[in-house]
Amino acid sequence: MAEQRYLEIAAELRRRITEGELVPGAKVPSTRRIAVEWGVATVTAAKALAALSQEGLVRAEPRSGTVVAGRKTEPKARPRPPGLSRERIVRAAITIADEEGLAALSMRGVAARLGVAAMAPYRYVAGRDELVLLMADAAFGERGYPARRSGDWRARLELTGRTLWSLYRRHPWLAQLSPITRPLPLANLATHAEEALSALDGFGLSATQLCDLHVLFFSYIQGIAIHLERERHAAGTSGLTEDEWLATQAPGHTAIMAGGRHPVFTRMLTTLEEDGYDLDLDELFELGLRSLLDGVALRLRSSGKTRPPSG
């Protein structure tokens, strides 16, 4: 009986295909749907699809299920990918990290994007760790500075800060790479460091003081930029927008406010709820940069020199 049933199912699906009810590329009923529609076991449904597959009428399509096969044609020759190079590998990897985050990056994924064999990139890059360093150096090298410097130390630090911020904005994964206690030896990152350090040079600061101010400056920018990737990851894993997620936290905030132990926190949240508030990282970055440089100005004034020597 089961033998006859699967043949009947196959015959009906064959009719739908040959008469054009199911066109090439259209999804064929799944085994589960066939089992429900014809009242048979899934094994019987699977045999019907297998019979059609052997006839070349249907084919399995990744992530789509079984679909109607097109007319048989001579396979077209696949165009050969352009010559592989380290630069092409790095650019493909940057695109993956920009679109999907650094965690999604793999050598195999880069090869797939370039349309080459899985092991082909290893002829140019030793592995993922080296690839990430090459990506970071390339990304930091996308923006530079004028050959002739203009403006005082503050204007130059503002330019450096906004340049770095624009790179983190373009490549959010950059801020995730390493803590400030373990700086990466990247030539293009050193270009940004040189710009910041030269803006502060000449104020009588010791090497330690100069380094501390530079680390403070850089870590502020990186610290804000870390949240660009974290927010994107949180949105992707939770499926909630920032506003939707905040709504889920409302009961917890209400409980804290009702406790009476945090009056300023309660007053702030109440006012923000009434007036409306959007946390804008770009605006927060600008506020923090101005505040940080105000503090640096006080530190430089206390050094005894108000400006670097000319020349």
Side-chain angles (χ1 to χ4, degrees):
M1 184 65 178
E3 185 79 10
Q4 182 179 349
R5 290 293 285 154
Y6 100 79
L7 290 174
E8 291 174 357
I9 296 167
E12 170 58 19
L13 292 176
R14 188 182 301 109
R15 182 195 65 77
R16 296 181 188 179
I17 293 170
T18 56
E19 293 183 4
E21 293 182 26
L22 291 172
V23 298
K27 292 187 68 173
V28 176
S30 65
T31 54
R32 185 182 298 275
R33 182 175 169 186
I34 290 172
V36 173
E37 185 177 342
W38 272 274
V40 296
T42 55
V43 174
T44 302
K47 287 182 67 176
L49 292 179
L52 296 176
S53 178
Q54 290 176 357
E55 296 175 26
L57 292 175
V58 300
R59 70 174 188 274
E61 186 75 16
R63 297 183 296 276
S64 295
T66 304
V67 300
V68 178
R71 294 180 179 178
K72 291 187 177 180
T73 58
E74 290 297 321
K76 294 182 179 179
R78 294 183 62 186
R80 296 181 62 185
L84 201 57
S85 66
R86 175 176 282 194
E87 183 180 358
R88 286 192 65 224
I89 291 168
V90 170
R91 280 296 149 197
I94 288 175
T95 300
I96 292 172
D98 288 348
E99 293 176 354
E100 306 175 43
L102 199 60
L105 179 70
S106 68
M107 295 292 284
R108 183 176 294 273
V110 172
R113 181 171 286 262
L114 291 171
V116 299
M119 299 303 293
Y122 287 96
R123 297 201 302 268
Y124 301 87
V125 181
R128 186 181 185 278
D129 289 346
E130 182 186 6
L131 178 58
V132 170
L133 290 179
L134 292 170
M135 292 163 55
D137 197 41
F140 279 120
E142 291 177 359
R143 296 286 304 274
Y145 302 93
R148 304 181 94 182
R149 271 67 169 181
S150 61
D152 61 8
W153 69 268
R154 182 167 185 138
R156 290 180 61 187
L157 278 183
E158 285 177 348
L159 175 61
T160 307
R162 291 180 183 128
T163 299
L164 283 167
W165 178 251
S166 72
L167 291 174
Y168 287 131
R169 262 294 192 192
R170 185 183 300 175
H171 308 294
W173 50 272
L174 266 180
Q176 314 294 319
L177 291 185
S178 66
I180 59 171
T181 51
R182 303 187 181 195
L184 297 174
L186 305 176
N188 286 322
L189 178 57
T191 297
H192 301 286
E194 179 66 20
E195 188 66 19
L197 290 170
S198 62
L200 295 170
D201 190 31
F203 283 94
L205 300 173
S206 68
T208 297
Q209 293 169 329
L210 190 62
C211 184
D212 284 347
L213 286 178
H214 171 251
V215 170
L216 180 65
F217 174 73
F218 180 82
S219 61
Y220 163 69
I221 303 166
Q222 183 189 38
I224 296 293
I226 280 174
H227 299 287
L228 297 169
E229 180 79 349
R230 287 181 177 176
E231 169 56 28
R232 185 167 70 173
H233 176 74
T237 55
S238 69
L240 301 175
T241 65
E242 183 181 346
D243 289 340
E244 289 170 342
W245 182 85
L246 285 172
T248 68
Q249 308 304 307
H253 289 146
T254 300
I256 293 174
M257 293 162 64
R261 295 174 53 198
H262 311 91
V264 178
F265 177 75
T266 299
R267 186 172 68 250
M268 179 191 72
L269 282 188
T270 301
T271 302
L272 292 179
E273 288 175 359
E274 293 173 352
D275 297 345
Y277 174 73
D278 290 321
L279 180 61
D280 187 312
L281 287 179
D282 291 302
E283 292 181 3
L284 190 63
F285 165 76
E286 287 292 339
L287 171 63
L289 182 64
R290 290 194 299 271
S291 301
L292 176 62
L293 295 185
D294 286 345
V296 172
L298 291 174
R299 180 69 185 83
L300 294 181
R301 279 201 291 271
S302 70
S303 71
K305 290 187 178 182
T306 58
R307 67 176 62 216
S310 58

